[in-house]
Amino acid sequence: MQRDSYQQAGVDIAAGDRAVELMRKAVASTVTPGVLGDIGGFGGCFQPNLAGVAEPVLVAGTDGVGTKLKIAFMTGRHDTVGIDCVAMCANDVAAMGAVPLFFLDYIALGRLVPERVAEIVGGVAAGCRQAHCALVGGETAEMPGFYPVEEYDLAGFCVGLVDRSHIVDGHTVHAGDVLVGLPSSGLHSNGFSLVRHIVFDQHHLDVGTYVPELGRTVGEELLEPTIIYVDAAARARAAAPVGGMAHITGGGLLGNIPRVVPQGLRVELDIRTWQAPPVFDWLTRLGKLEEQECYQTFNMGLGFVFIVPEVSVDSVCRNLAGDGARAVGRIVPGDPGVELCR
């Protein structure tokens, strides 16, 4: 009689061990002074440097890549989605005024292919290096029968540190303050259910289709990684008293900026002040999208927004000139929300 085994049930422990070995070098490239130990333990250990921090506060963020992963499956390219995963978490932590300390990833998949997992984690490590945080551990869960054999999900968890008096949560934002925006690299990691519906369901394009106005293929455009704004956030805060910071993710510009604007104030966003990447016009035309839908779903070319006093705008823009910073609107008295001005 044939004996059943875990491997026959679809879980290959040896493949998991090989994946760990393949990713070890990438993980080591993210080590920072606070890291204690190596990967493979039951938990990741990190000893933060609290010198000069009067009231230490930990800021935690978690997120995933969402249905952008479908583009990775379609193209067979898995080295960039890890950057998106780190960006979604580290940018949120930075928007609170915190410095990211460490990161953990979670990969759940239908079949564990060590080389593919190593490619994914290589992207995570690249994102951690950009965010200056350590990849202290993670989990790879092989779940046959739950996920299709060629698909996976990817999520992450980031913890940062800030002095309590330096938390940025919008409570010092006032009427007359100015919005300074930083460009996005494109879609980042939001709105992909709508994107896929337009591009693949409605227009039946292929990831290999070359789009002249984009200057590259559909797959190359849609896999463009999210920008990590950790350095820019630190430089902005060094230049001026920043009252609020918004990472533009799900909910777009209309949903995210008001999260750091107090009651009794509203946002006037001057959409003439920046040039969105061509992908947004392309999608708007293909999908025949209404303006409100676009600004509520996509970042429309702004990936991160600072709210600063008017007198500080020039110094912030100078400090972030290499990042493409520019004034894009202001805070005015009124009901909560965002008014698109032209």
Side-chain angles (χ1 to χ4, degrees):
M1 183 174 65
Q2 184 178 5
R3 294 175 180 268
D4 288 331
S5 69
Y6 209 9
Q7 187 169 1
Q8 287 172 337
V11 179
D12 190 339
I13 294 175
D17 293 340
R18 174 165 165 72
V20 171
E21 289 307 310
L22 289 175
M23 70 177 73
R24 192 174 292 278
K25 184 176 180 181
V27 174
S29 72
T30 73
V31 170
T32 61
V35 175
L36 303 178
D38 196 2
I39 60 171
F42 287 101
C45 296
F46 190 92
Q47 184 175 22
N49 181 359
L50 302 181
V53 185
E55 294 183 273
V57 174
L58 296 178
V59 179
T62 182
D63 208 339
V65 183
T67 63
K68 183 173 184 174
L69 291 176
K70 288 285 191 180
I71 314 302
F73 307 154
M74 295 167 74
T75 60
R77 183 180 177 186
H78 308 279
D79 62 334
T80 63
V81 289
I83 299 173
D84 291 298
C85 191
V86 175
M88 288 297 101
C89 303
N91 285 343
D92 281 357
V93 166
M96 295 290 295
V99 175
L101 298 177
F102 59 84
F103 188 86
L104 296 97
D105 62 54
Y106 178 80
I107 307 170
L109 32 70
R111 182 181 63 181
L112 199 160
V113 179
E115 292 75 15
R116 184 182 301 157
V117 170
E119 192 177 358
I120 297 167
V121 174
V124 174
C128 285
R129 291 193 298 271
Q130 291 180 38
H132 310 298
C133 64
L135 179 55
V136 297
E139 173 68 10
T140 303
E142 191 170 22
M143 302 168 66
F146 194 87
Y147 290 95
V149 294
E150 297 300 324
E151 297 192 1
Y152 56 85
D153 198 6
L154 174 62
F157 314 85
C158 185
V159 174
L161 176 69
V162 63
D163 198 319
R164 184 171 180 175
S165 63
H166 296 159
I167 293 174
V168 179
D169 58 9
H171 75 276
T172 63
V173 170
H174 298 97
D177 287 350
V178 175
L179 276 67
V180 174
L182 294 182
S184 69
S185 58
L187 291 163
H188 284 185
S189 299
N190 302 102
F192 272 81
S193 293
L194 176 58
V195 171
R196 291 185 303 108
H197 177 66
I198 293 170
V199 174
F200 303 119
D201 297 340
Q202 290 186 346
H203 290 272
H204 310 290
L205 299 181
D206 184 84
V207 288
T209 302
Y210 181 82
V211 182
E213 65 191 279
L214 301 179
R216 52 183 171 176
T217 67
V218 169
E220 289 168 339
E221 179 65 45
L222 299 188
L223 279 182
E224 180 68 35
T226 305
I227 293 176
I228 293 176
Y229 296 101
V230 170
D231 280 343
R235 279 185 277 115
R237 296 188 65 212
V242 177
M245 294 186 278
H247 178 206
I248 312 304
T249 58
L253 289 166
L254 301 189
N256 283 286
I257 301 175
R259 295 168 66 178
V260 289
V261 177
Q263 288 292 316
L265 299 175
R266 68 184 286 104
V267 176
E268 286 185 349
L269 194 61
D270 188 346
I271 62 176
R272 302 167 300 179
T273 55
W274 77 93
Q275 180 65 50
V279 66
F280 295 106
D281 283 340
W282 179 66
L283 285 169
T284 300
R285 189 182 70 254
L286 282 184
K288 299 179 181 176
L289 300 176
E290 305 238 344
E291 182 178 75
Q292 187 83 2
E293 178 77 26
C294 291
Y295 282 87
Q296 195 164 320
T297 304
F298 304 128
N299 63 62
M300 296 305 290
L302 293 182
F304 206 87
V305 173
F306 304 94
I307 304 176
V308 301
E310 187 169 17
V311 295
S312 301
V313 172
D314 287 345
S315 60
V316 170
C317 287
R318 276 198 306 272
N319 257 30
L320 300 179
D323 302 276
R326 65 186 61 203
V328 296
R330 64 177 53 246
I331 305 297
V332 298
D335 295 329
V338 177
E339 180 180 353
L340 302 177
C341 304
R342 32 176 79 71

